[in-house]
Every structure is written in structure tokens, then in C-alpha cells.
Amino acid sequence: MSFREDHIRQLPHLNTAEVPAAALRLFQHQAVHCPPYRAYLAALGCTPAAVQQLTDIPFLPIEFFKTQDVRTEPEVWEPQELFLSSGTTLQQRSQHQVREPQLYRQNAARIFEQYYGALTSWTFLALLPSYLEQGHSSLVAMVDYFAKQSGQTQPAFFLHDHAALLQALREAKQDASRRVMLFGVSYALLDLAAEVGAAPELQNLTVLETGGMKGRRREMIREELHHELRQAFGPAGIHSEYGMTELLSQAYSLGDGRFHAPPQLRVLLRDPADPFSVSESRPDGALNVIDLANVDSCAFIETKDLARMYPDGSFEVLGRLDNSDVRGCNQMV
């Protein structure tokens, strides 16, 4: 069995205590077999054998996904799917080349079910116009897979047709055996709320906002956005997803603003002024992510998000570092 096959086989069964050892094994593999990461480590003078703990690992700046072919063992496979980040025409879009599309989808479904229960107990609807228009969205691929696996009869995606969405919500609510989840990019949810107000169809469903105004509205902090959304969708907490093109795993906020991550997605914080000051105990700082599902790209990513960590391992996204792109489906400024 190859390293990759063994790693993927273990991934669904990892517990929190096993993650450091699994991450260090993957680091040693990618330090050799991921050419951009290998070159980055060499430029830093990092000897992989000297890396003995998670905080020793140099994290690859996320910008590499814009300019480099970030693949592990690129000589043995060609991408079967390409995910591109959202962005404007003035921004170069990050790309994540996917070796095994089903691995992404099954991994995302397993994480979702960890927090929300079986896909078959949900009807999934989505207002994600910018992602649909730009194409190659990992978020759209995920929601499409969820909807198909759920066996729902309603279509999942509604580009700008609010009337059709309201009709789908009415139909979905007639099935008492299912709950209804509405995925939405922030500006599209606000547009829906502005058009239909606190319509009955918008009550008693789970709203999962994916961040992002995409230049359509002014950026808001999370508290302001969720306050406005609750005026239309009711007093229940607004849920959120932390995910991005460069990751194959997701974290979820279940309505309290704190993201909870599965064991395979480990977050560490660093001093915003020092990219190599990574700590497992720092309460706030810039966010580094280990995504063990990224076996075919790079699992160790230095993001441009600012975050706060809590003792239970959950984290809150506070915003972006100065001068960094407002990006993806993670969070707002």
C-alpha cells in the first residue's frame, strides 16, 4: 500500500490525539514530493528531518496557490478537477488541482454529517450567484453533491430567481421528515431579505452563510451581518462555514460565531508580524491551517486570516491582514 493510500484510509478514523503524528508523517512526505513546497523549505534552509513537532513546520503562504502548481507527486497524476477561488477581474484566482474528485466530496459529506446528521435528513437550497457565474467553485461542487446524496426533489441552486426559491422552500417544508438548509453568499442573502422581508418561507430553516460581499455591498463584521439576517430569517443563530479553495476540509459555526473543526483540520496561530512564530497556545493571531485531506496538494497553509482561539479548540475569524484580498467563502472583513 502506498503512503497516499494508507493516509486516505486512516483519514476518516483519526482522533485528535493521533493528528500530530499523522501531520508529521504527511509533512515528511510532502517536503520531498511536493516541488513548490520542497523549494520553499530549501529557500528557508529548513531541513525536514529537524521538524519534530507541529510548531516546527513551515507553512506554505497561501499565495503559492495563485502562482505555482501545488501538487504532491505531480509526475504520477493529472488533475481530474480544478477548483478556482472567487475573485474580481483584478485578482488572480487561486487554483486547487484535484486528483480524486470523489475524495473531496466524500470528505466534505463526512464532516457535514459529523455536525448536522445524515444528508438524507436535509433539503439543500443555495443562493450562490457569484460562485455559479465564475465557475470551478468547490463550494458549488460540495452543495451539489449534498443535494444529490440527500435524494431531494427540489433543485438546489437559484441564481437570482427569488420567487422560485420561495416556492422551493414552501415545497421542502411540507416534508416533516426533513430539515431545510439554505447556503448563501452574504450579499445574496441580504438581497433576498431586502426583497421579501421576513416572509413565512424564510422562517424555521437553517441559514448557512458562506461570507463574502464580492464587491456588491460594503463589507460588514460578522455581528452586523448576522443581526441584519436575523431580521428576515428569525432569531435563531445564523450558521457559517469556514472553507476555501485551497482546503478540502471545512469547519462550521453552529450559530454562535465560533468555528468547530474536525480532527483532520487543525488550526494554529502565529504572530501576524512573524510567520515563523507558530504556537499551539496563542490566544489570537494570524491563522495557519493543517488540512490532512490535502494529501495531493499541500496540507500546511499560512492564511491571511486573523483569528481567536478558545480553550475548547474552537476558533473565531476576526478579519483579514492588512492589504490582503477579501476572498473565498471563509469570512468577512
Side-chain angles (χ1 to χ4, degrees):
M1 183 180 293
S2 69
F3 173 87
R4 178 182 184 273
E5 291 170 334
D6 186 56
H7 179 84
I8 291 172
R9 180 182 60 83
Q10 295 181 39
L11 192 62
H13 310 293
L14 285 174
N15 61 47
T16 302
E18 295 168 330
V19 166
L24 289 169
R25 288 193 299 269
L26 184 55
F27 166 77
Q28 296 296 335
H29 179 72
Q30 293 186 332
V32 174
H33 296 288
C34 179
Y37 193 37
R38 182 176 65 229
Y40 179 65
L41 296 175
L44 296 177
C46 172
T47 303
V51 173
Q52 299 294 317
Q53 55 188 359
L54 297 186
T55 52
D56 294 337
I57 295 174
F59 286 71
L60 187 72
I62 201 166
E63 293 88 349
F64 273 62
F65 283 83
K66 292 184 176 183
T67 61
Q68 304 293 314
D69 179 6
V70 184
R71 285 191 289 156
T72 293
E73 299 183 313
E75 70 280 359
V76 302
W77 63 277
E78 292 295 328
Q80 299 302 303
E81 189 166 25
L82 176 66
F83 292 143
L84 296 176
S85 64
S86 59
T88 70
T89 55
L90 300 178
Q91 296 173 353
Q92 186 174 356
R93 298 170 71 184
S94 290
Q95 61 177 7
H96 196 158
Q97 300 182 69
V98 180
R99 178 174 180 174
E100 188 178 344
Q102 198 67 359
L103 173 63
Y104 166 68
R105 288 159 174 78
Q106 291 175 349
N107 178 65
R110 185 174 62 249
I111 294 171
F112 179 90
E113 291 187 333
Q114 177 180 333
Y115 295 105
Y116 291 103
L119 294 177
T120 52
S121 67
W122 289 91
T123 295
F124 297 98
L125 307 176
L127 269 179
L128 302 170
S130 52
Y131 295 101
L132 290 167
E133 291 163 346
Q134 291 186 327
H136 296 285
S137 164
S138 58
L139 177 62
V140 169
M142 183 183 80
V143 176
D144 180 64
Y145 182 74
F146 287 3
K148 289 175 178 175
Q149 293 299 115
S150 78
Q152 68 189 59
T153 58
Q154 290 80 8
F157 296 99
F158 301 86
L159 191 58
H160 300 290
D161 192 343
H162 293 166
L165 172 60
L166 292 179
Q167 178 61 31
L169 285 168
R170 285 192 290 270
E171 294 174 0
K173 288 184 173 185
Q174 291 175 8
D175 185 348
S177 67
R178 288 175 176 265
R179 292 174 286 173
V180 181
M181 177 171 286
L182 176 61
F183 282 81
V185 63
S186 301
Y187 79 84
L189 292 174
L190 289 170
D191 288 349
L192 173 65
E195 180 177 324
V196 305
E201 294 89 344
L202 302 187
Q203 310 307 305
N204 301 313
L205 65 149
T206 299
V207 178
L208 196 148
E209 59 88 8
T210 64
M213 295 300 181
K214 315 303 179 190
R216 313 293 179 94
R217 288 171 172 258
R218 69 176 178 85
E219 296 293 335
M220 298 179 178
I221 61 172
R222 178 185 56 80
E223 290 82 356
E224 182 184 6
L225 171 65
H226 288 199
H227 173 75
E228 288 205 17
L229 291 177
R230 283 194 293 269
Q231 307 310 304
F233 294 99
I238 304 296
H239 294 220
S240 305
E241 181 217 16
Y242 185 86
M244 58 181 74
T245 299
E246 299 83 359
L247 303 178
L248 294 186
S249 301
Q250 304 79 33
Y252 289 98
S253 166
L254 309 183
D256 60 357
R258 294 188 188 183
F259 289 99
H260 301 268
Q264 69 202 52
L265 191 69
R266 176 69 64 91
V267 298
L268 305 172
L269 299 186
R270 67 184 191 272
D271 184 336
D274 181 358
F276 306 110
S277 61
V278 181
S279 170
E280 292 195 78
S281 59
R282 186 181 178 92
D284 51 50
L287 188 62
N288 285 4
V289 178
I290 300 172
D291 184 0
L292 296 183
N294 278 18
V295 63
D296 297 311
S297 54
C298 182
F300 311 96
I301 300 176
E302 174 193 298
T303 81
K304 298 303 180 184
D305 292 322
L306 294 168
R308 176 176 296 124
M309 291 291 297
Y310 291 90
D312 64 357
S314 64
F315 64 98
E316 181 182 2
V317 178
L318 304 177
R320 304 284 296 159
L321 289 171
D322 290 345
N323 302 318
S324 57
D325 294 341
V326 177
R327 26 163 301 113
C329 54
N330 47 18
Q331 273 290 299
M332 299 67 68
V333 174

